[in-house]
Structures are given as C-alpha cells and as structure tokens.
Amino acid sequence: MFESPPAASHPDKGRSVRAMFDAIAPRYDLANAVLSAGADRGWRRAAVDAAWAKGPRDLLDVATGTADLALALARGRPEARVRGVDFAEAMLEVGRRKVARAGAQVALDVGDGTDLPYADASFDAVTIAFGLRNFADPDAGLREFRRVLRPGGRAVVLEFPPPPRGAFGAAFRLYFTQVLPRLGGALSGNRAAYAYLPASAMAFPPPHELAGRMRAAGFDDVVWTPLTFGVAALHVADVAPATAARPPRQEPA
Ligand SMILES: C[S@@+](CC[C@H](N)C(=O)[O-])C[C@H]1O[C@@H](n2cnc3c(N)ncnc32)[C@H](O)[C@@H]1O
C-alpha cells in the first residue's frame, strides 16, 4: 500500500504521486477507459487536434504515463518527432510496450515535469493530459513548458477542473466522489488512488484561474474550452512568434 498524495500543491507531493502511479500502472489503462466510459479518447482527440493546428515538428507530451497521448500525436504523422516524459518508471514501461506494439516513432524519457531534461526552445508543441493537477508545483511546470517551447510554440493542457455547478455538476460530483473511488478501487486494487483523483480535481484552480496562471508563466495568448459539460477542460496557450530583428535606424546625414 502507499500513502494517498496531498490533493493540493505540496513540496512532498511528487514522491507520493510517483509511488501511486508506479503502483497502479498495470491496471491504469483499463480503469481509465471504464471510469470515463470511453470519453477520455474524445478528450485526447481534442488535445491532439489543438497540438497539431500549427504544424509542429517537435512535440513533447509531459506526464505521458502509458503514452496514449504521445501515441495519438504520432499516429499518421511520420514527419513528427514525438517524445514523452514522465517520472513514474512503471507507467513508462507500459507505454514502451504500447509504442513497440504500434511500431511508432515515440521516444519515452524519465523526467520531472517541473524540471524538464531538455534545453530551452526545443519543441514546437507541449501537451499534458491529466498530469498538471498532480504536480507538486503546477506553476513551476507551466514555466518549464514555456521555457522548452520555441517562439510561435503552443502548450495544450487537458485536465479535470473542479466539477461544474448546476444539476449536471451535482450528479457528476456524486459519481466522482462516491462511485468512481469504489469502481476505480475494484478495477485497480487501489481505492486510495481513485479517492485522490476527485480530491485533486476539486483542489485544482478553476479554468479561468488556470488561464491566468498560464499567462503569468509567460504565455502570450490563452484560450480554454469546457469538454463534456465542463467535466474536463482544454487550455491552449500560445507563445508569440519571434519578431524579425528591426533594421538599424538610419541617422540623417
Ligand atoms: C493521470 S496520469 C496521466 C497519464 C497520461 N497523460 C494520460 O493521459 O493517460 C498522470 C501522470 O502524471 C505523471 N506525473 C505526475 N507528476 C509528474 C511530474 N512532476 N513529472 C512527471 N510526471 C508526472 C504520473 O507519473 C502519471 O503518469
């Protein structure tokens, strides 16, 4: 067994999050598909479309886990150079087997999203699906995404925000806090991990606040879209293109 990670940002959160994902890695994909009733595939599709919109060549999927989003980014795009990075080795191991089975060109690296092992301006697009909520310091992660992006680059963040208001939100909250931990626990053998999921979503900033934090991290233009009545949210943040160097001023003779 492992301790359940703190729901909100906390200096010790990384260590317990990594242990939790290492423990549930073998059943993670199954639990994901069942608990979201397959909706996660459509959400990842929306993230892939947003990431591809500006024709990137070098793409990085942070907190790639078992590599579903990295594989979806690479599918049918032989020109793309796709990397995934995650700090949980057991999740990456499942991902490596899936990459090999698919015969895909996806490189998977071990690394922390708050201290990425890449040089400045290495990528045209950075994606993250259901990862940022787990970071000990999400703002440090956002600054890292900005640092590794080139001018004109784009970050795409797919995440569970706090559940929406209204009747649908109330019904979803009931499912999220009462049904999902039991079902996820039965599927993965680890109920604490699936009690942490709603707790961490409820502790995460609402979409408008996350958009502000992305701007504060250095992104020039941020838009967000609710998915499935606000169960998930997709943030798309752009870096301004490089401005051409100005010609030297001509001094009058
Ligand atoms: C809910 S899973 C999502 C995996 C995958 N992106 C997906 O959509 O299925 C969260 C992943 O984030 C990873 N993670 C959490 N915090 C991280 C960090 N600071 N650096 C790297 N990976 C991290 C975990 O190891 C885990 O694989």
Side-chain angles (χ1 to χ4, degrees):
M1 253 351 259
F2 66 92
E3 57 189 296
S4 190
S9 304
H10 189 280
D12 289 340
K13 185 166 170 165
R15 186 179 42 82
S16 46
V17 162
R18 189 165 56 226
M20 180 181 81
F21 282 104
D22 275 335
I24 64 173
R27 312 300 296 273
Y28 173 82
D29 283 346
L30 171 71
N32 231 1
V34 174
L35 295 172
S36 77
D40 62 314
R41 284 211 298 274
W43 299 335
R44 285 200 189 83
R45 184 73 251 156
V48 168
D49 290 347
W52 269 105
K54 298 209 284 179
R57 298 292 287 214
D58 292 291
L59 300 95
L60 176 68
D61 183 39
V62 182
T64 194
T66 61
D68 273 351
L69 185 54
L71 279 165
L73 287 168
R75 202 163 292 133
R77 305 274 186 173
E79 76 278 20
R81 289 183 291 259
V82 178
R83 308 194 77 84
V85 63
D86 198 289
F87 67 8
E89 301 256 9
M91 293 287 277
L92 286 177
E93 204 36 57
V94 176
R96 287 201 183 94
R97 288 199 293 272
K98 286 159 66 175
V99 167
R101 267 201 309 276
Q105 294 298 320
V106 173
L108 295 178
D109 305 319
V110 181
D112 192 319
T114 61
D115 185 16
L116 288 168
Y118 309 108
D120 296 358
S122 300
F123 298 95
D124 305 303
V126 171
T127 59
I128 181 166
F130 311 115
L132 193 60
R133 176 174 46 83
N134 300 298
F135 281 19
D137 183 351
D139 296 306
L142 293 173
R143 287 193 297 272
E144 278 295 86
F145 304 168
R146 171 65 189 85
R147 180 185 68 76
V148 300
L149 277 169
R150 296 179 179 134
R154 166 169 283 191
V156 176
V157 176
L158 178 60
E159 195 45 276
F160 290 121
R165 292 176 198 280
F168 174 80
F172 177 71
R173 202 176 286 258
L174 202 66
Y175 166 75
F176 211 34
T177 58
Q178 303 302 317
V179 180
L180 183 142
R182 289 183 174 82
L183 198 54
L187 288 166
S188 69
N190 205 316
R191 184 156 165 185
Y194 289 89
Y196 162 79
L197 196 168
S200 57
M202 285 189 274
F204 198 63
H208 67 275
E209 191 185 318
L210 179 60
R213 286 165 75 161
M214 294 179 90
R215 284 186 204 99
F219 289 94
D220 298 291
D221 186 29
V222 184
V223 293
W224 64 273
T225 315
L227 303 175
T228 317
F229 309 110
V231 165
L234 186 72
H235 284 71
V236 177
D238 288 331
V239 180
T243 43
R246 279 207 208 133
R249 227 172 88 201
Q250 297 287 323
E251 295 298 338

